[in-house]
Amino acid sequence: MALLLTLGAAGCRKERLEGADKVTITVYGFSILQEPLDKEIFPGFARWWKNRSGQELIFASSFGGSETVTNQILAGAKADVAILAIERNAERLLRGEATRTDWREFPHQGIINRTPMVIVVRKGNPKGIRDFEDLAKSGVRVIHPDPVSSGGAQWSLLALYGSQLVKSEKQTGKRDEAKAIDLLKRVWKNVIATPESARQARTQLETGFGDALITYEIDALQLINRSSAFEIIAPQSTIYSEHPVVIIDHGMTPSKRALVELFINYLWSEQAQRTWVKYNFRSVTDERLNEAHRSFVRIPLPFGIDYFGGWDQAYPAIIEGIWKKQVQSATAQ
C-alpha cells in the first residue's frame, strides 16, 4: 500500500505539472451507496489527495440499479470506477472488456462491504410478519424491486429461495427445493410493484404504498433512522449481499490509473470501513466494528452466495431458471 501511494502520488503529480490543476474520478454505483460516498468517502479521499499532491480532485457520480449502471458502462458511459450490487455485474464488465483487471485481485477479492437482506414493515407490524413465509399471507402487499434492473432484487430472490433450503436442510438434512420454489411463487403473487432499484422500492414504501419490503439491512436502517413509522424484521435465515468494486481501466492513462487505484484501495482503509459501518453497511475488514454497531440485526442462520456455488451457478439456475421461467410466468397467467 505504501508503495502504491508513492507511485500514485508521483504519477499524478507529474500529470498535474503537465497542466492539470484538477482531476476527476467518475464513479458509477448501485443506488444505496450514494449517502456514504457523497457525504464522507469522496470528500475524505479528495482532502487526503489535496494535502499530498496539491491537486484538486473532483468526484462525479451516477447511481441506479446495479444492472442498469452496468449496462450504461458497457454501452460506453465514461466511468472510472464501478461499485456494484452483485459479482455477476462485475463479471459482465470484465467479459465486455470495460476493464482489463479482475476485481478479485484487489483486497478481500474486491468486496468492499456487505449487508444482509431483511424485511421492512410498518410500525407495530400490523400484518404480523415474522419471517419470509409471512409475506405470502393473504392480504400482504409486497414491494419488490425488479430483478431485471436491480441487483438488490436478485439478492432478495436468493434470500427467499435460500432461506427455505437452509431451514429444510437444518431440519431434515436435505435441501427442499420444491418448498423453496413454492415460497417464491406465493410471495411473488403478493408483489404489487417492481420499481427499478432498491432505493426506489424504499421510496414507494415510505410514501405509503404497500405493507412490506425486502431490502438491504443498510437501506432499512437508513429508513427507520429517518422515520419512526417503520421497523425491521430479521428473517431466521437470509443471505448476506457482498459488493465488488471494479476499475474501468480500458484506455485509462497510467497516471490516472494510479490515482484511481489509490482511491479503490482507500475503500478498505480503517477510515472508509468505519464510514461504511456508520452508514449501516457491514465491514469486511474488522468484525469488531460490526459487533459495536447496536442496530445491526442478528441472523440465526445466515448464508452467502457460495451456498449456491457462486453467481455463475446461482444466476442461471435460480434467477433465470426458477424466477423467470417458473415464478414470473406462473404469476403472469
Side-chain angles (χ1 to χ4, degrees), residues 114-117 155 159 216-217 238-243 282 287 290 296-299 301-306 311:
R114 62 192 185 114
T115 188
M117 302 304 292
W155 282 116
Y216 302 104
E217 177 190 54
T238 193
I239 197 167
Y240 273 84
S241 68
E242 296 180 325
H243 314 127
R282 301 202 186 197
E287 190 60 32
N290 301 329
F296 285 159
V297 301
R298 180 179 176 275
I299 308 297
L301 297 172
F303 59 97
I305 193 64
D306 57 335
W311 274 103

Side-chain angles (χ1 to χ4, degrees), residues 180-243:
I181 293 172
D182 178 66
L183 178 64
L184 273 181
K185 289 180 177 179
R186 291 187 295 115
V187 171
W188 202 256
K189 286 181 180 179
N190 282 349
V191 172
I192 61 170
T194 53
E196 182 181 273
S197 69
R199 177 53 47 84
Q200 290 180 13
R202 190 189 85 177
T203 299
Q204 285 196 355
L205 185 73
E206 195 172 10
T207 55
F209 196 57
D211 302 309
L213 166 68
I214 306 172
T215 192
Y216 302 104
E217 177 190 54
I218 174 262
D219 218 26
L221 287 172
Q222 286 183 356
L223 176 58
I224 66 172
N225 287 340
R226 288 167 44 187
S227 172
S228 60
F230 304 94
E231 59 185 83
I232 297 176
I233 304 298
Q236 182 185 9
S237 180
T238 193
I239 197 167
Y240 273 84
S241 68
E242 296 180 325
H243 314 127

Side-chain angles (χ1 to χ4, degrees), residues 58-89:
I58 300 169
F59 280 94
S61 58
S62 179
F63 299 95
S66 188
E67 293 280 352
T68 299
V69 299
T70 301
N71 291 338
Q72 290 171 340
I73 293 170
L74 290 172
K78 302 299 183 182
D80 299 311
V81 176
I83 307 177
L84 304 165
I86 55 177
E87 181 181 294
R88 192 184 74 86
N89 289 153

Side-chain angles (χ1 to χ4, degrees), residues 154-322:
Q154 294 177 26
W155 282 116
S156 174
L157 293 177
L158 295 180
L160 287 164
Y161 183 81
S163 69
Q164 295 301 95
L165 298 184
V166 169
K167 288 188 283 188
S168 63
E169 190 172 23
K170 183 176 177 60
Q171 293 167 357
T172 68
K174 296 182 180 180
R175 299 184 183 186
D176 191 335
E177 294 184 0
K179 188 175 182 180
I181 293 172
D182 178 66
L183 178 64
L184 273 181
K185 289 180 177 179
R186 291 187 295 115
V187 171
W188 202 256
K189 286 181 180 179
N190 282 349
V191 172
I192 61 170
T194 53
E196 182 181 273
S197 69
R199 177 53 47 84
Q200 290 180 13
R202 190 189 85 177
T203 299
Q204 285 196 355
L205 185 73
E206 195 172 10
T207 55
F209 196 57
D211 302 309
L213 166 68
I214 306 172
T215 192
Y216 302 104
E217 177 190 54
I218 174 262
D219 218 26
L221 287 172
Q222 286 183 356
L223 176 58
I224 66 172
N225 287 340
R226 288 167 44 187
S227 172
S228 60
F230 304 94
E231 59 185 83
I232 297 176
I233 304 298
Q236 182 185 9
S237 180
T238 193
I239 197 167
Y240 273 84
S241 68
E242 296 180 325
H243 314 127
V245 62
V246 179
I247 182 170
I248 312 301
D249 57 358
H250 183 75
M252 189 178 285
T253 65
S255 57
K256 179 66 174 291
R257 193 190 191 288
L259 175 58
V260 173
E261 193 167 346
L262 277 175
F263 169 68
I264 286 176
N265 278 274
Y266 175 78
L267 300 175
W268 290 284
S269 68
E270 180 180 355
Q271 180 179 350
Q273 288 290 308
R274 287 185 178 277
T275 297
W276 293 129
V277 173
K278 176 182 176 180
Y279 284 85
N280 301 314
F281 285 99
R282 301 202 186 197
S283 171
V284 295
T285 65
D286 190 346
E287 190 60 32
R288 293 172 298 180
L289 296 177
N290 301 329
E291 293 170 354
H293 194 301
R294 295 181 180 180
S295 296
F296 285 159
V297 301
R298 180 179 176 275
I299 308 297
L301 297 172
F303 59 97
I305 193 64
D306 57 335
Y307 184 70
F308 304 107
W311 274 103
D312 286 345
Q313 295 185 43
Y315 187 83
I318 302 168
I319 308 300
E320 291 279 355
I322 295 174

Side-chain angles (χ1 to χ4, degrees), residues 143-156:
I143 299 174
H144 194 293
D146 188 350
V148 174
S149 60
S150 168
Q154 294 177 26
W155 282 116
S156 174

